Amino acid sequence: MTYDHTKQYRCAIVRGKSLSDLDNLLPAYANILEVICPCDKETFKVRFNEKISAFLSGATKKTLSNHRTEIAGKLFGMYYLDENEIVQTSERTLKLLDDSDQPAFFKDLCAKYQFPSGMNKADSIIEQISKGIKINQLSFLLKVLLDCHRKKRSLTKKEIGYYILNSEDVLSGRATSTEVITQISDDRTAKIEREVSADGKGYSYSHQHINEQLNLLYVANVITFDHSHVYLNKKEMAYIENIARKHDTPPFFDFYSYDLSLSEDRKRATFEWGEYFGLLSDLETEVLATSVDALQNIDLPESQTSQGVDTVALGNEGEEYVYQVERSRVEKVFPRLVNKIKKLGKVKGLGFDIQSVWGEGENAEFAKYIEVKSTKRVTTPSNDFCDTVNLTRNEWMAAQQHQDNYFIYRVYFSQNETKLFIIKNPYRQNEENYLLARPLSYRLDFNQSNGKFYAHE
């Protein structure tokens, strides 16, 4: 056995926020980038800080800048600087804006994590290179968890930290999954418990970089926690197996090809990493996609499964969920009107998905027009959250036409519950500056006078 578990080395990623904040702030970052990019560096600094401050009441300038550079930039790879020094929105962010699949965003992100990493300072990268660090660390971790899963075993957070994410032999590619699992088994048999520690540092510092990486896999819907243990989400096995297969493949971005002692090479590495990290991974869209059903806690022992999960709601998409909510609401107060509730999402051009009724009061039979917008995220939205949805021209025209009878139902499918946020009369709210609606696309009508056909030679 070549694996020496006693050789410990701390490789850290950018420090993130709490689990709920990772999910809560992601759409805020994406919304800001959609509005202000592309733009030059200085404009970007000012406008991003200005807009994120609306979501972070009382935050200092340093905190605002940290959200811009460290979280949205280095940790999430949501934007990059192009060769003309213009800040551009990354592919990963554009995909999120298009599909509202937050776990898929984090899955793609986790697929691109590596050491050495461009989120670290040059001195740290140079030190990692001197020790031969070269690893897709989350791929290796998922390989070990997958091998354990097949043997009906689980690992603790402490074991993952000590034997994998803080192990120099693992991080430098000198250990195999089998060696790691064998060492853990031997230590368990001998009743030896090991954990990461750092000289002169407390528990929080010693385990921070481990928890940060596990948290990202958690919001990617790939793993779940049970007290001290970590379990794979079996319904995300297509993703897990894809990533695990790459556990012994060298990181795609090669910091070893740069001479980081030279300022010119450091600048070039920073620029090229930014471009690379913002690109989507090579995983198929189907592998990244998150089904509503996969958001359930399914890997905990049956006696410890989370309570209160509405499995019926989690098994359906947003329109069906809202349809059932409306039927239930109306049936309780005015049963004879239930049959007036219709699913019309497949009818093009209407600008709404469901036609319902008020169901109560003197206007009980009046129609309600509901546009359903669904999103998926692991954590449940807190009371202090922000979000964005895209409306088509027909949807906005319907909102203008029906006003107080038009609603947007935002469905949040999450791991522990399904939440429904209802926005009444978005058109008026925009007119009165309570929310902001922005035109984001243009329709071009043209004819033969506006151009010419390409002539093949």
Side-chain angles (χ1 to χ4, degrees):
M1 177 183 282
T2 59
Y3 170 54
D4 182 357
H5 64 86
T6 65
K7 295 167 66 177
Q8 295 281 291
Y9 184 75
R10 188 178 194 271
C11 271
I13 65 171
V14 168
R15 185 173 186 177
K17 303 298 177 183
S18 68
L19 277 173
S20 60
D21 278 346
L22 289 175
D23 262 339
N24 283 339
L25 290 170
L26 181 62
Y29 297 147
N31 180 43
I32 291 169
L33 292 168
E34 183 183 32
V35 173
I36 68 176
C37 290
C39 61
D40 64 80
K41 290 191 298 183
E42 292 306 313
T43 299
F44 179 73
K45 291 178 184 179
V46 173
R47 295 196 67 194
F48 189 100
N49 283 24
E50 176 186 273
K51 290 187 175 296
I52 197 63
S53 66
F55 304 110
L56 302 168
S57 179
T60 65
K61 183 178 180 180
K62 181 179 179 180
T63 297
L64 299 176
S65 294
N66 180 69
H67 278 272
R68 184 188 76 249
T69 60
E70 301 300 298
I71 311 299
K74 292 180 181 179
L75 184 65
F76 288 172
M78 300 186 75
Y79 63 87
Y80 66 95
L81 197 64
D82 70 15
E83 58 187 8
N84 297 314
E85 297 199 326
I86 298 298
V87 180
Q88 302 282 357
T89 307
S90 72
E91 285 186 356
R92 186 176 302 113
T93 305
L94 293 173
K95 179 180 178 300
L96 174 65
L97 288 165
D98 180 60
D99 63 20
S100 293
D101 189 337
Q102 293 188 198
F105 176 94
F106 288 114
K107 285 180 203 164
D108 184 77
L109 190 66
C110 290
K112 301 201 77 169
Y113 274 139
Q114 66 169 74
F115 289 124
S117 168
M119 68 179 70
N120 297 127
K121 294 181 179 179
D123 289 345
S124 296
I125 298 173
I126 291 170
E127 181 181 299
Q128 291 171 14
I129 290 173
S130 72
K131 289 183 172 292
I133 303 298
K134 185 183 286 189
I135 186 75
N136 296 305
Q137 76 273 25
L138 298 185
S139 294
F140 188 90
L141 170 57
L142 290 179
K143 167 64 174 171
V144 175
L145 288 172
L146 184 60
D147 288 348
C148 287
H149 174 80
R150 288 167 175 164
K151 297 176 181 178
K152 300 186 184 301
R153 300 178 185 176
S154 63
L155 298 181
T156 67
K157 292 181 182 180
K158 288 183 179 180
E159 288 169 337
I160 289 171
Y162 179 85
Y163 296 99
I164 302 172
L165 294 179
N166 208 67
S167 167
E168 184 176 320
D169 276 4
V170 168
L171 297 171
S172 58
R174 294 193 293 267
T176 67
S177 172
T178 301
E179 288 176 323
V180 170
I181 293 172
T182 299
Q183 183 64 59
I184 294 172
S185 297
D186 289 348
D187 283 350
R188 284 183 177 183
T189 300
K191 299 188 183 304
I192 298 172
E193 293 187 10
R194 308 181 193 274
E195 66 175 280
V196 175
S197 62
D199 292 340
K201 300 291 186 179
Y203 182 92
S204 178
Y205 174 86
S206 299
H207 293 79
Q208 174 192 312
H209 61 300
I210 297 158
N211 291 330
E212 296 287 352
Q213 293 173 81
L214 290 176
N215 283 347
L216 288 168
L217 286 173
Y218 179 82
V219 292
N221 200 43
V222 176
I223 63 172
T224 189
F225 307 130
D226 168 27
H227 304 300
S228 62
H229 285 75
V230 175
Y231 301 87
L232 291 178
N233 184 343
K234 291 182 288 187
K235 293 190 176 181
E236 296 286 7
M237 206 53 77
Y239 173 84
I240 292 166
E241 290 175 346
N242 261 276
I243 297 299
R245 278 197 291 269
K246 301 177 181 180
H247 73 280
D248 57 357
T249 303
F252 184 86
F253 194 90
D254 185 13
F255 279 98
Y256 285 74
S257 65
Y258 301 89
D259 183 352
L260 297 178
S261 65
L262 302 176
S263 61
E264 184 177 332
D265 262 25
R266 287 199 299 273
K267 184 177 180 180
R268 183 165 63 89
T270 299
F271 169 74
E272 293 178 355
W273 167 264
E275 279 196 322
Y276 162 75
F277 192 51
L279 294 173
L280 287 168
S281 67
D282 60 0
L283 293 174
E284 297 291 334
T285 302
E286 296 76 18
V287 174
L288 291 174
T290 308
S291 69
V292 173
D293 187 50
L295 283 170
Q296 299 176 72
N297 280 331
I298 49 135
D299 291 293
L300 301 178
E302 186 174 346
S303 62
Q304 297 168 346
T305 301
S306 294
Q307 300 299 310
V309 178
D310 186 346
T311 55
V312 174
L314 287 170
N316 293 285
E317 293 295 339
E319 186 177 330
E320 178 64 25
Y321 175 69
V322 170
Y323 176 71
Q324 296 299 336
V325 167
E326 283 296 292
R327 284 184 62 87
S328 177
R329 177 186 66 82
V330 173
E331 191 167 29
K332 289 177 181 177
V333 293
F334 223 134
R336 74 174 181 81
L337 295 179
V338 167
N339 291 334
K340 289 183 174 289
I341 302 172
K342 302 174 184 178
K343 289 193 289 185
L344 300 170
K346 293 183 179 180
V347 180
K348 294 184 178 179
L350 291 180
F352 53 89
D353 296 311
I354 293 173
Q355 182 173 316
S356 185
V357 291
W358 283 92
E360 54 189 333
E362 60 182 22
N363 297 328
E365 297 192 44
F366 281 27
K368 286 178 64 176
Y369 304 94
I370 301 170
E371 175 60 27
V372 180
K373 298 294 182 181
S374 305
T375 189
K376 302 159 190 172
R377 48 182 284 168
V378 171
T379 64
T380 305
S382 64
N383 291 329
D384 183 19
F385 79 103
C386 55
D387 201 356
T388 183
V389 296
N390 293 322
L391 299 181
T392 66
R393 181 174 180 273
N394 283 337
E395 289 161 2
W396 190 242
M397 288 179 67
Q400 181 178 8
Q401 176 185 353
H402 300 297
Q403 301 254 346
D404 280 343
N405 295 317
Y406 190 90
F407 298 80
I408 294 174
Y409 278 36
R410 180 60 155 172
V411 183
Y412 294 93
F413 289 115
S414 63
Q415 197 173 78
N416 294 314
E417 64 177 318
T418 300
K419 295 191 80 169
L420 181 60
F421 189 78
I422 300 174
I423 303 171
K424 179 182 178 182
N425 198 344
Y427 181 81
R428 180 184 295 171
Q429 289 201 54
N430 177 63
E431 291 290 297
E432 297 176 356
N433 295 318
Y434 289 115
L435 57 72
L436 176 63
R438 302 180 310 276
L440 295 176
S441 60
Y442 295 88
R443 171 179 170 174
L444 271 65
D445 296 320
F446 63 93
N447 58 32
Q448 69 277 2
S449 67
N450 301 117
K452 59 182 180 181
F453 289 104
Y454 175 74
H456 292 278
E457 295 182 359

